[in-house]
Amino acid sequence: YNFDLLCLYSNSESIRESVCYKRSVARLNADFNRMLVIETTGQLAIQPSIVNLFSTLHAIVFAVDTALDSSEKVDEEVGVMRKELGLMLESMSNINLLTPLLVLACRNTGLGSNSFISLQEIIEGLELKTMMNPWGVFEVNCENMKGAEKGLDWLLYHLTKERRELSYHGRQGQGILDF
């Protein structure tokens, strides 16, 4: 099955991984984030050149960093994630309600973080249960990519609409996918 996938990186790797960028001030600032632009109304929006590509997409893959350092609060981090996803979805107003949303909850245990945002906190914080389109949340270990294959299989299932006998396939609005 062929499908179009667009990977959006908000900035260069060194900036994305820097301590200052992880803060919401930088991630939602058009000066730091090349995906964003400030409209004449003063509102943040996705760059028009990126928005033009959205009509060709078959699915949305939204990867989030679930690690928290000692100064970060779950509500603040999830709020930034919700704003980032909201900006994308607002820009995709012509999106088909059947377009699946795959959320990859990325966790890198090798970096020493002992605190992580839970899948349930992501589901609630992103307000996924209010969405009409199919959605799924999968935990992914960044060190070995374990979990990504289940998420991509879930995505392909929803893209092809073929029935498979896999226990982790959720139906619309049933995206608690913990393993």
Side-chain angles (χ1 to χ4, degrees):
Y1 185 82
N2 292 324
F3 62 95
D4 293 317
L5 179 65
L6 174 65
C7 296
L8 299 176
Y9 286 101
S10 55
N11 227 317
S12 67
E13 181 180 10
S14 62
I15 292 175
R16 282 194 318 274
E17 292 182 355
S18 73
V19 174
C20 71
Y21 183 74
K22 191 158 167 113
R23 307 286 179 257
S24 60
V25 173
R27 285 172 38 206
L28 294 175
N29 183 324
D31 293 332
F32 289 98
N33 189 331
R34 289 185 274 177
M35 283 179 33
L36 301 177
V37 64
I38 299 175
E39 296 180 327
T40 55
T41 61
Q43 298 292 318
L44 277 178
I46 303 290
Q47 290 279 357
S49 58
I50 296 172
V51 172
N52 290 338
L53 297 172
F54 286 164
S55 64
T56 66
L57 300 180
H58 294 102
I60 304 165
V61 179
F62 186 62
V64 297
D65 181 359
T66 63
L68 293 171
D69 67 26
S70 59
S71 66
E72 295 172 322
K73 295 181 174 60
V74 171
D75 292 343
E76 291 173 7
E77 277 301 301
V78 173
V80 172
M81 292 174 192
R82 182 175 48 249
K83 179 73 172 169
E84 290 169 328
L85 181 61
L87 285 170
M88 282 184 26
L89 295 176
E90 287 169 18
S91 300
M92 301 172 82
S93 58
N94 61 344
I95 194 169
N96 182 334
L97 287 179
L98 298 177
T99 302
L101 168 65
L102 170 62
V103 179
L104 298 177
C106 301
R107 172 183 286 225
N108 189 347
T109 55
L111 292 179
S113 180
N114 295 326
S115 183
F116 298 95
I117 302 169
S118 73
L119 296 182
Q120 189 62 39
E121 289 168 325
I122 291 170
I123 291 166
E124 291 171 5
L126 294 179
E127 301 173 348
L128 296 178
K129 291 181 180 180
T130 65
M131 297 184 76
M132 297 299 294
N133 50 322
W135 54 269
V137 177
F138 290 83
E139 187 172 86
V140 175
N141 182 328
C142 294
E143 295 171 2
N144 59 20
M145 297 308 289
K146 183 176 174 151
E149 72 283 353
K150 287 184 179 182
L152 292 172
D153 186 55
W154 176 89
L155 183 64
L156 287 173
Y157 167 82
H158 284 281
L159 289 173
T160 61
K161 301 293 182 208
E162 291 177 8
R163 191 73 179 137
R164 297 182 189 198
E165 298 300 322
L166 298 174
S167 63
Y168 51 82
H169 287 301
R171 289 187 302 253
Q172 181 175 332
Q174 297 176 344
I176 300 174
L177 304 165
D178 198 2
F179 54 92

